[in-house]
């Protein structure tokens, strides 16, 4: 979810000044660094493609979170030890009329193109990944893997058969819905005005699940309602993922999954990748009045997208003042680990991974960008997890899921899509 990009960017600034909410410092040991180097480190929800079209922003430059709010680029991936992940074609939900659907179709194709162009422009640093084995091979070749996912199937709403085009272009993970309901599924309902409890999946959503199964595209439940989870589990022939979600039993936010469903997910072979978006981790104390004022700040900059570095800085400063005024509480690294460790305990370490929502609103005090990834390795070791368990959480479980979902695909459908 990238709508909170700037708000999250600001969090660290405020914390840095006031010192509130700081977690105890994690010192990363040599053992943790060596263990991480031996693992395949994948994050399953990288919203960084939203920055690809922004003027002057280059993935090969080193940026800083304090400087422009961004959290991923090639130099910082190297420093943090991230080997790649799923790079998202994210589309905000708009009107479900013909014009809205056509605009979403065009937007999705543009974003897909930008991801592929980024890879093509940096062949010594990035490579498109489509099968499970690619992650290890690309790492061994000293590059970063780029699996492609879609967050919100809105771009497929006008013409669902576009899915096979996306598949051919590299799409290997798909979520149906984002912050408000659409014609595929119900949302967890975090957008203003959204309500839950419709029918869960629509018939169009069910068809999309069947088609995704045939192509070996992983189905992603993040942002969908609990009813959609139950129906997706019942309908999907393959295990599913939650590419960036948290634990309801740690903090009851609609975007989080409850313990009962965590166990069902694991029993069906699925994986949940833990999100670091502060508002999902703790009660930040954000009120409707605060949100309204935040919206006004974004409006004054002409929206949240496409801001150049100067405008981003100005917006971050204004949001910092707003957060101070409303005494917004900031989640920290300990809060993130509380969700991660709880989920590991409930779902089992074979069913958990990392999907921090970098460049999409993720990141908390002490875990502001991808350079902080080694802290998670250390924290897992400190919590008593063994090397093989840590490696599974860092990416092994995701690789296993890709393999498993693709092994359950329909070879004839895959062949037809690739022709
Ligand atoms: Zn999201």
């Amino acid at each position: 979810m990238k709508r909170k990009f700037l708000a999250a960017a600001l969090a660290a600034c405020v914390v840095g000044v006031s010192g509130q909410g700081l977690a105890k410092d994690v010192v990363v040991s040599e053992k943790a660094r060596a263990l991480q180097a031996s693992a395949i480190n994948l994050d399953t929800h990288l919203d960084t493609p939203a920055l690809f079209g922004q003027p002057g922003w280059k993935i090969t430059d080193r940026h800083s979170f304090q400087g422009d709010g961004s959290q991923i680029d090639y130099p910082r991936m190297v420093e943090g030890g991230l080997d790649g992940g799923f790079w998202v074609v994210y589309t905000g939900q708009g009107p479900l009329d013909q014009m809205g659907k056509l605009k979403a179709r065009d937007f999705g194709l543009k974003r897909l193109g930008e991801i592929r162009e980024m890879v093509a422009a940096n062949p010594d640093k990035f490579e498109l990944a489509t099968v499970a084995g690619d992650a290890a091979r690309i790492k061994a070749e000293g590059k970063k893997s780029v699996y492609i996912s879609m967050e919100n199937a809105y771009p497929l709403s006008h013409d669902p058969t576009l899915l096979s085009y996306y598949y051919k272009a590299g799409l290997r993970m798909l979520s149906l819905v984002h912050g408000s309901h659409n014609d595929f599924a119900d949302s967890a309902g975090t957008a203003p005005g959204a309500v839950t409890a419709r029918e869960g999946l629509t018939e169009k959503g069910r068809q999309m699940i069947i088609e995704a199964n045939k192509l070996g595209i992983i189905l992603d439940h993040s942002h969908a309602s609990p009813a959609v989870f139950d129906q997706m589990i019942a309908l999907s022939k393959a295990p599913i993922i939650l590419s960036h979600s948290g634990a309801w039993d740690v903090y009851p936010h609609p975007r989080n999954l409850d313990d009962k469903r965590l166990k069902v997910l694991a029993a069906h072979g699925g994986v949940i990748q833990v999100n670091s978006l502060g508002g999902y981790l703790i009660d930040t104390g954000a009120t409707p009045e605060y949100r309204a004022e935040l919206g006004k700040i974004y409006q004054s900059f002409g929206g949240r997208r496409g801001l150049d570095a100067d405008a981003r800085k100005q917006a971050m400063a204004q949001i910092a003042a707003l957060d101070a005024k409303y005494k917004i509480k900031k989640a920290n690294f300990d809060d993130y680990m509380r969700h991660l460790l709880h989920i590991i305990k409930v779902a089992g370490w074979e069913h958990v991974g990392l999907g921090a929502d970098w460049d999409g609103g993720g990141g908390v005090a002490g875990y502001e960008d991808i350079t902080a990834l080694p802290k998670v390795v250390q924290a897992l070791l400190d919590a008593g997890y063994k090397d093989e368990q840590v490696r599974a959480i860092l990416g092994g479980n995701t690789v296993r899921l890709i393999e498993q979902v693709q092994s359950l695909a329909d070879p004839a459908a895959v062949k037809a899509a690739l022709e």
Side-chain angles (χ1 to χ4, degrees):
M1 164 159 183
K2 80 176 157 104
R3 61 179 60 218
K4 291 183 184 158
F5 175 60
L6 290 172
L10 163 77
C13 304
V14 169
V15 167
V17 172
S18 70
Q20 80 180 108
L22 288 179
K24 68 178 185 312
D25 223 19
V26 177
V27 179
V28 180
S29 64
E30 280 311 307
K31 174 178 165 46
R33 290 193 188 280
L35 172 58
Q36 194 194 357
S38 72
I40 308 290
N41 300 264
L42 299 176
D43 184 290
T44 50
H45 196 80
L46 301 172
D47 264 317
T48 315
L51 302 175
F52 290 174
Q54 292 198 4
W57 196 92
K58 273 196 205 144
I59 195 150
T60 48
D61 290 344
R62 191 194 165 93
H63 308 78
S64 77
F65 177 71
Q66 280 72 18
D68 67 3
S70 72
Q71 298 170 306
I72 297 267
D73 52 42
Y74 178 77
R76 284 184 289 173
M77 287 177 78
V78 172
E79 186 182 327
L82 184 69
D83 298 313
F86 281 82
W87 302 67
V88 185
V89 175
Y90 160 76
T91 312
Q93 186 62 52
L96 284 165
D97 57 15
Q98 182 76 347
M99 185 54 76
K101 289 179 182 180
L102 285 171
K103 277 187 182 165
R105 179 196 65 184
D106 294 351
F107 181 87
L109 292 171
K110 180 169 174 277
R111 184 54 47 81
L112 173 71
E114 285 170 350
I115 296 172
R116 290 180 56 95
E117 282 162 21
M118 185 284 281
V119 175
N122 300 287
D124 56 330
K125 296 183 177 66
F126 292 95
E127 188 174 330
L128 193 66
T130 55
V131 297
D134 282 346
R137 177 184 59 76
I138 292 169
K139 177 176 174 130
E141 290 170 10
K143 293 182 281 189
K144 305 298 183 191
S145 54
V146 179
Y147 291 94
I148 299 175
S149 63
M150 181 183 281
E151 178 178 37
N152 191 3
Y154 188 27
L156 305 175
S157 185
H158 170 73
D159 178 6
T161 68
L162 260 183
L163 184 69
S164 62
Y165 173 81
Y166 271 94
Y167 177 82
K168 194 173 181 179
L171 186 82
R172 294 296 181 269
M173 186 187 291
L174 171 70
S175 86
L176 296 179
V177 67
H178 190 248
S180 36
H181 306 323
N182 64 16
D183 51 343
F184 294 104
D186 284 0
S187 168
T190 60
V195 289
T196 50
R198 291 191 317 174
E199 72 265 45
L201 288 170
T202 64
E203 183 51 34
K204 195 170 170 178
R206 286 189 191 92
Q207 285 306 318
M208 191 54 80
I209 286 178
I210 292 167
E211 291 306 314
N213 275 173
K214 282 184 191 165
L215 293 171
I217 294 172
I218 301 169
L219 287 157
D220 178 5
H221 172 268
S222 288
H223 284 288
S225 74
V228 171
F229 176 89
D230 301 339
Q231 294 169 8
M232 213 179 230
I233 287 282
L235 180 60
S236 176
K237 286 186 177 169
I240 69 168
I241 197 167
L242 283 82
S243 69
H244 59 305
S245 290
W248 169 275
D249 288 75
V250 176
Y251 175 52
H253 188 283
R255 274 285 281 107
N256 294 335
L257 199 67
D258 61 63
D259 282 3
K260 205 174 134 206
R261 288 187 172 90
L262 281 174
K263 287 177 186 156
V264 171
L265 175 77
H268 285 78
V271 177
I272 173 169
Q273 311 282 109
V274 182
N275 197 339
S276 70
L277 196 151
Y280 301 163
L281 301 177
I282 62 164
D283 181 359
T284 61
T287 58
E289 292 76 28
Y290 165 82
R291 289 199 185 95
E293 281 200 51
L294 184 64
K296 275 185 201 152
I297 292 177
Y298 286 123
Q299 259 174 13
S300 72
F301 285 91
R304 302 167 201 234
R305 290 187 205 145
L307 304 184
D308 63 27
D310 276 351
R312 267 207 301 278
K313 256 192 166 161
Q314 286 176 36
M316 280 165 70
Q318 291 186 21
I319 295 167
L322 183 70
D323 280 12
K325 178 179 154 192
Y326 281 90
K327 298 189 171 59
I328 296 299
K329 206 175 155 209
K330 305 297 176 190
N332 63 34
F333 183 68
D334 286 350
D335 297 318
Y336 180 62
M337 286 307 300
R338 200 169 300 124
H339 279 259
L340 178 57
L341 294 173
H342 176 86
I343 290 173
I344 296 171
K345 225 171 244 171
V346 174
W349 59 269
E350 302 98 324
H351 302 284
V352 184
L354 307 177
D357 214 350
W358 297 123
D359 291 323
V364 291
Y367 196 55
E368 282 98 357
D369 70 8
I370 195 58
T371 61
L373 180 60
K375 289 171 76 169
V376 174
V377 184
Q378 186 64 52
L380 289 170
L381 287 173
D382 292 346
Y385 289 99
K386 297 187 180 74
D387 290 8
E388 59 156 328
Q389 296 171 324
V390 176
R391 272 194 289 265
I393 293 161
L394 291 174
N397 292 331
T398 296
V399 172
R400 187 263 301 159
L401 185 71
I402 298 169
E403 173 86 57
Q404 203 172 346
V405 172
Q406 293 190 359
S407 75
L408 294 167
D410 171 1
V414 169
K415 189 163 173 269
L418 291 177
E419 268 167 6

